[in-house]
Amino acid sequence: MSVLCCSIPEFTIRTVRRSHPELVDQPLALLDDQGRVAALSNLAHRSRVQTQMTARQAQMRCPDIRLYPLSQTRCDEEQATLVSLLAQWELPVEEIGWGKAYIDLKPLTARRSEVKLLSVELGQRIRNELGELLQPALGWDSSKFTARAAAHYTQPGHIRLVDKADESRFLHNLSIQLLPLSANALQQLQWMGIRTLGQFAELPANAVRQRFGKAGLQAQQWAKGQDTRPVQNSLRPSYETDQTVQLDPPSSQLEPVLQSLLAALNPLLGQIALRMEGLRRLQLSILFENGELSEIDQQWLDPIGSTEALTASLIQQLQTLSWPGPMMQITITQLETSELPAHQMTLFPDLDVVPMPEQNPVDNTESFSANQPLFGGKSSRRAVSIPPHTQRLRVCFANLIERHGPIFWRPELVQTNHPVAERRAIYVGL
Amino acid sequence: MPNFKQRKLESAVAAIQQQHGTRALQKGKTFPKERKPSGISTGFPVLDQITGCGGVPVSRMTLLSGQTTSGKLTLAYKLLANAQRKGRAKKATQPVAIIDLNQTSDPDYLARCGVCLDHLAIAYPQPNAEAVRLLFDMVQQQRDGQQGVRFILVDGIANISRARRAMRALDSRAGRLARSLRNSDCTLLFIDEPAPPWQRWLNLDRSHAIRNHAALHIELRREHWLHRHNQLTGYQATAQIIKSRWASKGKAASIAIEFNGTVRAAQTY
């Protein structure tokens, strides 16, 4: 196989920044319909803002944060443009999320030199069409997971090509949070001291299967670079179902309705979880006793993989829905799924964020010609200068950061005379 | 020991050994005296005197307790500032860390207390077992000879005490932590609210494990506010030694902390 992964990090954030250039260097968060943070920029994340916070909570954590409403329509349009650019070679393209897709290059070529030329051409085309802020990071390998990891650890405007022979060496030191495992599984691995894909790959297969089930075993295969999933030429794979949940007797209470709905969804969710995918969209049609029909169309910016997140979303939707009478029947009309992103784990407080390339670059770059000069332009390459004292502290805390994640910060006074105490200092992540 | 007492002791030992065998009573080995470690100055000479080691002992655990506004955080920050300076050097060169479980560290106040922010790292772990693991890792790193921090301030034990598992972990490993510290160049300072004496006697307070293994325990109590020309300029507090391995407990010193843009120590007797 020859898989190219195209990834535009912070896709929704950069879409807004492209229209508002003054926001480029400011912490930014996008709010959904309920007024909760749906997406946030790196700067906002460094100020310890998290998704699902309310606007007020985000402002308390980061007084300088700029809040904008999330425009689903606008993001859909940009996504459609990206997908159309990727599909110009008439190759299988699999969409996996906002600004992310796989392209199967096998029908064209599997040679490194030719892939490099194609990638440069693709990158330039996307940049010319979508702009410099939305230029992608490209990763190539013979399997989907490794290609995605390569794209994740590459800066936008760069390509990382991983040869099949170098797969295990490339994956060895990467963080285990790249795997879309459940929060419990990741926490258990953390307690056992398993931090990297290499360590996870070395565990006995029987023990992994016994502890984490089939999903864990599959994840271990991926950690070894053995991901045999083909690139499916289906944009936003969706399941149309007509599964109906009868509520007998009709109920006007939230709890029994929720229980019945979750009981019907659980088998489907189990099948989705086995494929390491999450829910992107759920459409429900609700029939009330008086004959009225209501629709619920819940979409998630990032696919969810946990029952708790699904339950919380359903509770919110059902509570905001107006109930003209007791509910009689719920029909699940459509389910859309896609791959779980690694950064979804930030929903769970004990787990860490997978570091972005500019914060924590992978060190094992000697073996491959990674980080090629970008596709032509110079201006997108920005030198990041790190103060010497921050560098010294990073060296001092390197092992601790690797074990415990990015929980270390260095305070820096910026406005000592500011009347608001919280604005006198900023925190620089180590 | 006078000769006649020595002779009486020897004859008693001989009688017991004759009756029950030589292994029944043997002379104990002499244990080496614990060497007094060097201390990090608190910034208050009178307080340094009564601790018995010139301040907070290096490579040991210290507990600082006191009510809110008693000055314990100010004292802790002054210690941080002094720990950053090696010996009598004026320039700060040593890295120090704060494990902030309350999430209330104020960089502005830290700078006013003399802490060099360039050599300070603040960690915000979750207040559960992860925080306890982090603490051990930080001390272990220093112990293993790797470049580590010289001083660790743990602020907010109350937050850990709410997580039972974390509290149990801390209680069971406090002894090991104290031993690890002795083999390292790292000093550990805990800040906690004071517990009533009856709780301390019965070991029912939340920081009893730390208190039992700490080499020094200082309790601060604010006495009164200081005014000058009807302006609030600071406050006076009493620092009492609850426990010290090198000084007699119960000693107290009066310290005054003034605010005038920077936080300074003033001496009162």
Side-chain angles (χ1 to χ4, degrees), chain A residues 156-174:
Chain A
H158 292 70
I159 316 159
R160 188 180 285 263
L161 309 171
V162 181
D163 292 322
K164 191 157 178 62
D166 292 328
E167 253 172 21
S168 51
R169 211 156 24 126
F170 169 70
L171 292 170
H172 193 268
N173 287 331
L174 300 188

Side-chain angles (χ1 to χ4, degrees), chain B residues 149-162:
Chain B
V149 291
R150 191 162 178 249
F151 194 98
I152 303 171
L153 168 63
V154 181
D155 184 9
I157 302 178
N159 289 306
I160 293 185
S161 66
R162 289 189 199 113

